[in-house]
PDB file of all heavy atoms in Angstrom:
ATOM      1  N   ARG A  11     160.713  59.742  62.153  1.00 97.00           N
ATOM      2  CA  ARG A  11     160.327  59.810  60.739  1.00 97.00           C
ATOM      3  C   ARG A  11     160.803  61.068  60.120  1.00 97.00           C
ATOM      4  O   ARG A  11     161.317  61.113  58.998  1.00 97.00           O
ATOM      5  CB  ARG A  11     158.859  59.662  60.605  1.00 97.00           C
ATOM      6  CG  ARG A  11     158.300  58.266  60.737  1.00 97.00           C
ATOM      7  CD  ARG A  11     156.883  58.068  60.311  1.00 97.00           C
ATOM      8  NE  ARG A  11     155.979  58.916  61.090  1.00 97.00           N
ATOM      9  CZ  ARG A  11     155.423  58.583  62.253  1.00 97.00           C
ATOM     10  NH1 ARG A  11     155.767  57.384  62.769  1.00 97.00           N
ATOM     11  NH2 ARG A  11     154.597  59.376  62.909  1.00 97.00           N
ATOM     12  N   ARG A  12     160.641  62.233  60.853  1.00 98.00           N
ATOM     13  CA  ARG A  12     161.057  63.569  60.280  1.00 98.00           C
ATOM     14  C   ARG A  12     162.557  63.594  59.984  1.00 98.00           C
ATOM     15  O   ARG A  12     163.022  64.192  59.105  1.00 98.00           O
ATOM     16  CB  ARG A  12     160.689  64.631  61.224  1.00 98.00           C
ATOM     17  CG  ARG A  12     159.347  65.318  61.039  1.00 98.00           C
ATOM     18  CD  ARG A  12     159.171  66.597  61.758  1.00 98.00           C
ATOM     19  NE  ARG A  12     159.706  66.710  63.055  1.00 98.00           N
ATOM     20  CZ  ARG A  12     159.171  66.337  64.199  1.00 98.00           C
ATOM     21  NH1 ARG A  12     157.979  65.824  64.231  1.00 98.00           N
ATOM     22  NH2 ARG A  12     159.788  66.503  65.374  1.00 98.00           N
ATOM     23  N   THR A  13     163.329  62.966  60.943  1.00 97.00           N
ATOM     24  CA  THR A  13     164.761  63.037  60.824  1.00 97.00           C
ATOM     25  C   THR A  13     165.344  61.847  60.007  1.00 97.00           C
ATOM     26  O   THR A  13     166.538  61.639  59.903  1.00 97.00           O
ATOM     27  CB  THR A  13     165.425  63.075  62.215  1.00 97.00           C
ATOM     28  OG1 THR A  13     164.959  61.982  62.945  1.00 97.00           O
ATOM     29  CG2 THR A  13     165.039  64.355  62.928  1.00 97.00           C
ATOM     30  N   LYS A  14     164.419  60.974  59.537  1.00 97.00           N
ATOM     31  CA  LYS A  14     164.766  59.820  58.726  1.00 97.00           C
ATOM     32  C   LYS A  14     165.807  58.882  59.476  1.00 97.00           C
ATOM     33  O   LYS A  14     166.795  58.497  58.854  1.00 97.00           O
ATOM     34  CB  LYS A  14     165.366  60.287  57.346  1.00 97.00           C
ATOM     35  CG  LYS A  14     164.321  61.027  56.511  1.00 97.00           C
ATOM     36  CD  LYS A  14     164.943  61.368  55.183  1.00 97.00           C
ATOM     37  CE  LYS A  14     163.971  61.871  54.231  1.00 97.00           C
ATOM     38  NZ  LYS A  14     163.167  63.009  54.498  1.00 97.00           N
ATOM     39  N   GLN A  15     165.479  58.588  60.670  1.00 97.00           N
ATOM     40  CA  GLN A  15     166.275  57.611  61.392  1.00 97.00           C
ATOM     41  C   GLN A  15     165.271  56.760  62.177  1.00 97.00           C
ATOM     42  O   GLN A  15     164.100  57.102  62.403  1.00 97.00           O
ATOM     43  CB  GLN A  15     167.209  58.304  62.323  1.00 97.00           C
ATOM     44  CG  GLN A  15     166.637  59.323  63.349  1.00 97.00           C
ATOM     45  CD  GLN A  15     167.690  59.986  64.161  1.00 97.00           C
ATOM     46  OE1 GLN A  15     168.828  59.538  64.262  1.00 97.00           O
ATOM     47  NE2 GLN A  15     167.365  61.193  64.631  1.00 97.00           N
ATOM     48  N   ASN A  16     165.797  55.618  62.690  1.00 96.00           N
ATOM     49  CA  ASN A  16     164.867  54.775  63.447  1.00 96.00           C
ATOM     50  C   ASN A  16     164.738  55.259  64.962  1.00 96.00           C
ATOM     51  O   ASN A  16     165.513  56.151  65.332  1.00 96.00           O
ATOM     52  CB  ASN A  16     165.296  53.287  63.366  1.00 96.00           C
ATOM     53  CG  ASN A  16     166.644  53.050  64.041  1.00 96.00           C
ATOM     54  OD1 ASN A  16     166.984  53.622  65.033  1.00 96.00           O
ATOM     55  ND2 ASN A  16     167.397  52.145  63.393  1.00 96.00           N
ATOM     56  N   ARG A  17     163.758  54.676  65.630  1.00 96.00           N
ATOM     57  CA  ARG A  17     163.572  55.156  66.995  1.00 96.00           C
ATOM     58  C   ARG A  17     164.754  55.001  67.907  1.00 96.00           C
ATOM     59  O   ARG A  17     165.089  55.865  68.673  1.00 96.00           O
ATOM     60  CB  ARG A  17     162.383  54.331  67.541  1.00 96.00           C
ATOM     61  CG  ARG A  17     161.932  54.735  68.908  1.00 96.00           C
ATOM     62  CD  ARG A  17     160.961  53.726  69.484  1.00 96.00           C
ATOM     63  NE  ARG A  17     159.708  53.611  68.744  1.00 96.00           N
ATOM     64  CZ  ARG A  17     158.937  52.610  68.836  1.00 96.00           C
ATOM     65  NH1 ARG A  17     159.254  51.514  69.567  1.00 96.00           N
ATOM     66  NH2 ARG A  17     157.874  52.521  68.064  1.00 96.00           N
ATOM     67  N   SER A  18     165.479  53.874  67.760  1.00 96.00           N
ATOM     68  CA  SER A  18     166.645  53.636  68.576  1.00 96.00           C
ATOM     69  C   SER A  18     167.722  54.714  68.353  1.00 96.00           C
ATOM     70  O   SER A  18     168.266  55.217  69.285  1.00 96.00           O
ATOM     71  CB  SER A  18     167.189  52.242  68.288  1.00 96.00           C
ATOM     72  OG  SER A  18     166.320  51.261  68.763  1.00 96.00           O
ATOM     73  N   ALA A  19     167.939  55.027  67.125  1.00 97.00           N
ATOM     74  CA  ALA A  19     168.982  56.036  66.763  1.00 97.00           C
ATOM     75  C   ALA A  19     168.544  57.430  67.373  1.00 97.00           C
ATOM     76  O   ALA A  19     169.349  58.099  67.878  1.00 97.00           O
ATOM     77  CB  ALA A  19     169.172  56.225  65.271  1.00 97.00           C
ATOM     78  N   LEU A  20     167.239  57.790  67.286  1.00 97.00           N
ATOM     79  CA  LEU A  20     166.773  58.989  67.792  1.00 97.00           C
ATOM     80  C   LEU A  20     166.973  59.071  69.356  1.00 97.00           C
ATOM     81  O   LEU A  20     167.500  60.075  69.810  1.00 97.00           O
ATOM     82  CB  LEU A  20     165.308  59.158  67.455  1.00 97.00           C
ATOM     83  CG  LEU A  20     164.657  60.429  68.076  1.00 97.00           C
ATOM     84  CD1 LEU A  20     164.816  61.574  67.111  1.00 97.00           C
ATOM     85  CD2 LEU A  20     163.204  60.201  68.327  1.00 97.00           C
ATOM     86  N   ILE A  21     166.671  57.950  70.021  1.00 97.00           N
ATOM     87  CA  ILE A  21     166.778  57.948  71.448  1.00 97.00           C
ATOM     88  C   ILE A  21     168.303  57.938  71.828  1.00 97.00           C
ATOM     89  O   ILE A  21     168.665  58.666  72.805  1.00 97.00           O
ATOM     90  CB  ILE A  21     166.085  56.707  72.026  1.00 97.00           C
ATOM     91  CG1 ILE A  21     164.590  56.940  71.811  1.00 97.00           C
ATOM     92  CG2 ILE A  21     166.378  56.519  73.535  1.00 97.00           C
ATOM     93  CD1 ILE A  21     163.713  55.741  72.193  1.00 97.00           C
ATOM     94  N   ARG A  22     169.171  57.223  71.166  1.00 97.00           N
ATOM     95  CA  ARG A  22     170.540  57.318  71.418  1.00 97.00           C
ATOM     96  C   ARG A  22     171.105  58.711  71.258  1.00 97.00           C
ATOM     97  O   ARG A  22     171.843  59.202  72.149  1.00 97.00           O
ATOM     98  CB  ARG A  22     171.359  56.402  70.410  1.00 97.00           C
ATOM     99  CG  ARG A  22     171.357  54.898  70.864  1.00 97.00           C
ATOM    100  CD  ARG A  22     172.428  54.160  70.071  1.00 97.00           C
ATOM    101  NE  ARG A  22     172.229  54.230  68.638  1.00 97.00           N
ATOM    102  CZ  ARG A  22     171.429  53.417  67.962  1.00 97.00           C
ATOM    103  NH1 ARG A  22     170.707  52.449  68.528  1.00 97.00           N
ATOM    104  NH2 ARG A  22     171.304  53.560  66.645  1.00 97.00           N
ATOM    105  N   ASP A  23     170.733  59.419  70.122  1.00 97.00           N
ATOM    106  CA  ASP A  23     171.142  60.777  69.877  1.00 97.00           C
ATOM    107  C   ASP A  23     170.687  61.716  71.042  1.00 97.00           C
ATOM    108  O   ASP A  23     171.417  62.565  71.562  1.00 97.00           O
ATOM    109  CB  ASP A  23     170.732  61.326  68.513  1.00 97.00           C
ATOM    110  CG  ASP A  23     171.470  60.645  67.401  1.00 97.00           C
ATOM    111  OD1 ASP A  23     172.553  60.004  67.654  1.00 97.00           O
ATOM    112  OD2 ASP A  23     171.015  60.821  66.264  1.00 97.00           O
ATOM    113  N   ALA A  24     169.413  61.578  71.369  1.00 97.00           N
ATOM    114  CA  ALA A  24     168.848  62.442  72.413  1.00 97.00           C
ATOM    115  C   ALA A  24     169.559  62.207  73.774  1.00 97.00           C
ATOM    116  O   ALA A  24     169.857  63.141  74.482  1.00 97.00           O
ATOM    117  CB  ALA A  24     167.354  62.117  72.561  1.00 97.00           C
ATOM    118  N   LEU A  25     169.852  60.976  74.129  1.00 97.00           N
ATOM    119  CA  LEU A  25     170.490  60.683  75.324  1.00 97.00           C
ATOM    120  C   LEU A  25     171.979  61.214  75.351  1.00 97.00           C
ATOM    121  O   LEU A  25     172.382  61.785  76.371  1.00 97.00           O
ATOM    122  CB  LEU A  25     170.468  59.165  75.600  1.00 97.00           C
ATOM    123  CG  LEU A  25     171.105  58.663  76.905  1.00 97.00           C
ATOM    124  CD1 LEU A  25     170.449  59.360  78.092  1.00 97.00           C
ATOM    125  CD2 LEU A  25     170.948  57.160  77.010  1.00 97.00           C
ATOM    126  N   ARG A  26     172.613  61.065  74.223  1.00 98.00           N
ATOM    127  CA  ARG A  26     173.983  61.608  74.155  1.00 98.00           C
ATOM    128  C   ARG A  26     173.996  63.124  74.368  1.00 98.00           C
ATOM    129  O   ARG A  26     174.822  63.704  75.080  1.00 98.00           O
ATOM    130  CB  ARG A  26     174.567  61.352  72.744  1.00 98.00           C
ATOM    131  CG  ARG A  26     175.217  59.990  72.663  1.00 98.00           C
ATOM    132  CD  ARG A  26     175.958  59.875  71.296  1.00 98.00           C
ATOM    133  NE  ARG A  26     176.086  58.451  71.016  1.00 98.00           N
ATOM    134  CZ  ARG A  26     175.400  57.748  70.122  1.00 98.00           C
ATOM    135  NH1 ARG A  26     174.484  58.447  69.338  1.00 98.00           N
ATOM    136  NH2 ARG A  26     175.590  56.513  69.842  1.00 98.00           N
ATOM    137  N   GLN A  27     173.070  63.855  73.704  1.00 98.00           N
ATOM    138  CA  GLN A  27     172.899  65.311  73.852  1.00 98.00           C
ATOM    139  C   GLN A  27     172.596  65.683  75.278  1.00 98.00           C
ATOM    140  O   GLN A  27     173.191  66.612  75.826  1.00 98.00           O
ATOM    141  CB  GLN A  27     171.849  65.852  72.846  1.00 98.00           C
ATOM    142  CG  GLN A  27     172.283  65.788  71.426  1.00 98.00           C
ATOM    143  CD  GLN A  27     171.120  66.239  70.527  1.00 98.00           C
ATOM    144  OE1 GLN A  27     170.192  66.913  70.957  1.00 98.00           O
ATOM    145  NE2 GLN A  27     171.298  65.873  69.288  1.00 98.00           N
ATOM    146  N   HIS A  28     171.691  64.901  75.875  1.00 98.00           N
ATOM    147  CA  HIS A  28     171.301  65.248  77.267  1.00 98.00           C
ATOM    148  C   HIS A  28     172.502  65.021  78.175  1.00 98.00           C
ATOM    149  O   HIS A  28     172.768  65.851  79.067  1.00 98.00           O
ATOM    150  CB  HIS A  28     170.115  64.357  77.698  1.00 98.00           C
ATOM    151  CG  HIS A  28     169.651  64.609  79.094  1.00 98.00           C
ATOM    152  ND1 HIS A  28     169.107  65.771  79.510  1.00 98.00           N
ATOM    153  CD2 HIS A  28     169.814  63.795  80.201  1.00 98.00           C
ATOM    154  CE1 HIS A  28     168.805  65.700  80.782  1.00 98.00           C
ATOM    155  NE2 HIS A  28     169.289  64.576  81.294  1.00 98.00           N
ATOM    156  N   LEU A  29     173.210  63.907  78.036  1.00 98.00           N
ATOM    157  CA  LEU A  29     174.383  63.701  78.900  1.00 98.00           C
ATOM    158  C   LEU A  29     175.427  64.743  78.740  1.00 98.00           C
ATOM    159  O   LEU A  29     176.138  65.174  79.663  1.00 98.00           O
ATOM    160  CB  LEU A  29     174.922  62.276  78.592  1.00 98.00           C
ATOM    161  CG  LEU A  29     174.055  61.115  78.994  1.00 98.00           C
ATOM    162  CD1 LEU A  29     174.636  59.797  78.524  1.00 98.00           C
ATOM    163  CD2 LEU A  29     173.861  61.105  80.518  1.00 98.00           C
ATOM    164  N   ARG A  30     175.624  65.201  77.484  1.00 97.00           N
ATOM    165  CA  ARG A  30     176.605  66.273  77.231  1.00 97.00           C
ATOM    166  C   ARG A  30     176.195  67.552  77.909  1.00 97.00           C
ATOM    167  O   ARG A  30     176.992  68.281  78.525  1.00 97.00           O
ATOM    168  CB  ARG A  30     176.781  66.453  75.721  1.00 97.00           C
ATOM    169  CG  ARG A  30     177.735  67.536  75.360  1.00 97.00           C
ATOM    170  CD  ARG A  30     179.115  67.269  75.785  1.00 97.00           C
ATOM    171  NE  ARG A  30     180.014  68.394  75.507  1.00 97.00           N
ATOM    172  CZ  ARG A  30     180.954  68.811  76.383  1.00 97.00           C
ATOM    173  NH1 ARG A  30     181.209  68.203  77.415  1.00 97.00           N
ATOM    174  NH2 ARG A  30     181.673  69.860  76.037  1.00 97.00           N
ATOM    175  N   ARG A  31     174.819  67.919  77.840  1.00 97.00           N
ATOM    176  CA  ARG A  31     174.336  69.062  78.532  1.00 97.00           C
ATOM    177  C   ARG A  31     174.586  68.986  79.994  1.00 97.00           C
ATOM    178  O   ARG A  31     174.932  69.960  80.713  1.00 97.00           O
ATOM    179  CB  ARG A  31     172.863  69.325  78.174  1.00 97.00           C
ATOM    180  CG  ARG A  31     172.676  69.965  76.865  1.00 97.00           C
ATOM    181  CD  ARG A  31     171.228  70.509  76.649  1.00 97.00           C
ATOM    182  NE  ARG A  31     170.220  69.420  76.884  1.00 97.00           N
ATOM    183  CZ  ARG A  31     169.756  68.651  75.939  1.00 97.00           C
ATOM    184  NH1 ARG A  31     170.196  68.789  74.684  1.00 97.00           N
ATOM    185  NH2 ARG A  31     168.807  67.724  76.185  1.00 97.00           N
ATOM    186  N   LEU A  32     174.362  67.757  80.561  1.00 97.00           N
ATOM    187  CA  LEU A  32     174.611  67.637  82.078  1.00 97.00           C
ATOM    188  C   LEU A  32     176.064  67.826  82.367  1.00 97.00           C
ATOM    189  O   LEU A  32     176.369  68.440  83.377  1.00 97.00           O
ATOM    190  CB  LEU A  32     174.135  66.249  82.434  1.00 97.00           C
ATOM    191  CG  LEU A  32     172.648  65.944  82.459  1.00 97.00           C
ATOM    192  CD1 LEU A  32     172.394  64.494  82.866  1.00 97.00           C
ATOM    193  CD2 LEU A  32     171.928  66.843  83.423  1.00 97.00           C
ATOM    194  N   GLU A  33     176.929  67.350  81.544  1.00 97.00           N
ATOM    195  CA  GLU A  33     178.383  67.526  81.727  1.00 97.00           C
ATOM    196  C   GLU A  33     178.765  68.978  81.709  1.00 97.00           C
ATOM    197  O   GLU A  33     179.467  69.485  82.572  1.00 97.00           O
ATOM    198  CB  GLU A  33     179.122  66.731  80.680  1.00 97.00           C
ATOM    199  CG  GLU A  33     180.649  66.799  80.847  1.00 97.00           C
ATOM    200  CD  GLU A  33     181.363  66.017  79.707  1.00 97.00           C
ATOM    201  OE1 GLU A  33     180.722  65.205  78.999  1.00 97.00           O
ATOM    202  OE2 GLU A  33     182.557  66.282  79.543  1.00 97.00           O
ATOM    203  N   VAL A  34     178.279  69.722  80.733  1.00 96.00           N
ATOM    204  CA  VAL A  34     178.545  71.102  80.610  1.00 96.00           C
ATOM    205  C   VAL A  34     178.006  71.887  81.806  1.00 96.00           C
ATOM    206  O   VAL A  34     178.700  72.740  82.340  1.00 96.00           O
ATOM    207  CB  VAL A  34     177.998  71.676  79.221  1.00 96.00           C
ATOM    208  CG1 VAL A  34     178.032  73.190  79.197  1.00 96.00           C
ATOM    209  CG2 VAL A  34     178.803  71.097  78.058  1.00 96.00           C
TER     210      VAL A  34
END
């Protein structure tokens, strides 16, 4: 709600960021 996106989009973004951190 704070970021004005739906739950799925939030989780997709969080997973992408997490996977990128793991790669780095």
Side-chain angles (χ1 to χ4, degrees):
R11 282 192 300 275
R12 270 196 322 274
T13 58
K14 294 182 173 58
Q15 57 186 338
N16 63 39
R17 184 190 297 158
S18 293
L20 177 86
I21 292 171
R22 279 193 303 272
D23 288 347
L25 183 56
R26 279 189 199 103
Q27 289 175 19
H28 180 69
L29 293 173
R30 179 64 184 140
R31 280 193 303 270
L32 289 176
E33 181 183 344
V34 167

